[in-house]
Amino acid sequence: MKVYTSIQYQMTQGGLVELSADSFDYDGPVSETKGGGNPPPPPPEPPPEPKKEEVVAARKQAEETMGGGKSRRRRGGMGSLSSLLSGGYRGFKDEDMLG
């Protein structure tokens, strides 16, 4: 069996031309790659698209749970903290924390 360690080609208009090749003859044991086992199972089917009524109901429930619609949403991470501070929140007292 001939084992190639290096082959150099050049692309020409007529096709590939071999420039050089390094190889040696091998006469020894060879591992065989045999197919075995079963192919993996196909991926599961994607879940069905939700019905429009379900999407509308879920949005309505989320708005009610989160305290209002888009008009009441605040952007930024300090929305709830600033509302506490502007409402006169003074923080916890030691006795509140200790029981």
Side-chain angles (χ1 to χ4, degrees), residues 9-92:
Y9 289 98
Q10 182 175 5
M11 183 67 134
T12 64
Q13 289 181 347
L16 288 176
V17 176
E18 184 178 315
L19 297 178
S20 66
D22 293 329
S23 64
F24 62 93
D25 288 325
Y26 177 76
D27 184 25
V30 177
S31 282
E32 292 183 25
T33 305
K34 294 183 177 182
N38 297 320
E45 291 290 322
E49 291 291 321
K51 296 178 183 172
K52 185 176 180 180
E53 304 85 36
E54 293 172 343
V55 172
V56 170
R59 284 185 181 154
K60 183 178 177 183
Q61 181 182 7
E63 288 177 359
E64 290 171 358
T65 303
M66 298 304 288
K70 292 180 182 177
S71 61
R72 295 187 59 195
R73 278 190 202 148
R74 294 181 184 227
R75 296 201 180 260
M78 299 300 289
S80 59
L81 180 60
S82 61
S83 65
L84 284 173
L85 295 175
S86 65
Y89 178 76
R90 303 282 185 235
F92 290 106

